């Protein structure tokens, strides 16, 4: 029997974290918070992160990328998610960029499929 259940190129979280962090820093380091343009900015950044992760060519994974930009206003924030998860194969990575006016958080979820 030659059917394999494991990927040949396993997901390496440190590579994805470095890519996501570099993209966030490159795009947002000199930016200031703008509530009107933030949604489209989040969409373009998440698309860029998704494309960068796909180039790494981890086989048998599908990705969900979420980017959140929140204005700094001396408040606390909690971000929560729920999903069906395979603890053995599925994983996630987060990256953060903080400036004087906002905080950006990128979340990359890698879901294994057979």
């Amino acid at each position: 029997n030659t059917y394999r259940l494991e990927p040949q190129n396993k997901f390496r979280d440190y590579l994805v974290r470095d890519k996501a962090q570099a993209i966030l820093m490159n795009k947002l380091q000199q930016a200031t918070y703008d509530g009107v343009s933030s949604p489209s900015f989040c969409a373009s950044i998440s698309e860029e992160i998704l494309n960068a992760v796909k180039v790494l060519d981890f086989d048998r994974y599908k990705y969900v990328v979420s980017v959140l930009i929140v204005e700094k206003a001396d408040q606390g924030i909690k971000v929560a998610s729920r999903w069906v998860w395979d603890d053995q194969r599925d994983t996630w990575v987060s990256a953060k960029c903080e400036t004087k006016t906002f905080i950006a958080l990128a979340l990359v979820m890698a879901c294994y499929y057979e």
Side-chain angles (χ1 to χ4, degrees):
N1 189 356
T2 60
Y3 187 74
R4 290 182 23 263
L5 293 177
E6 297 298 320
Q8 288 180 336
N9 186 11
K10 284 189 167 188
F11 186 83
R12 292 183 295 250
D13 58 351
Y14 63 92
L15 291 176
V16 175
R17 184 178 299 110
D18 291 346
K19 285 277 188 187
Q21 188 71 41
I23 290 169
L24 281 179
M25 295 301 277
N26 186 31
K27 292 284 186 178
L28 300 174
Q29 201 168 30
Q30 302 301 322
T32 58
Y33 181 78
D34 179 14
V36 175
S37 64
S38 287
S40 61
F41 207 37
C42 287
S44 68
I45 292 171
S46 64
E47 188 70 29
E48 188 172 339
I49 292 172
L50 177 63
N51 291 334
V53 172
K54 285 181 178 180
V55 167
L56 294 173
D57 201 28
F58 302 120
D59 59 336
R60 297 187 178 194
Y61 283 95
K62 292 192 179 194
Y63 309 102
V64 177
V65 179
S66 176
V67 176
L68 176 68
I69 296 177
V70 180
E71 183 180 19
K72 278 189 179 177
D74 294 326
Q75 80 280 17
I77 186 170
K78 289 187 180 184
V79 178
S81 308
R82 290 182 78 169
W83 53 81
V84 178
W85 200 252
D86 178 2
D87 288 339
Q88 302 295 316
R89 297 183 179 110
D90 297 341
T91 188
W92 62 276
V93 171
S94 67
K96 183 176 107 171
C97 175
E98 190 169 345
T99 68
K100 292 180 181 180
T101 59
F102 66 88
I103 298 172
L105 176 68
L107 182 63
V108 179
M109 291 155 285
C111 301
Y112 181 82
Y113 71 100
E114 296 175 347

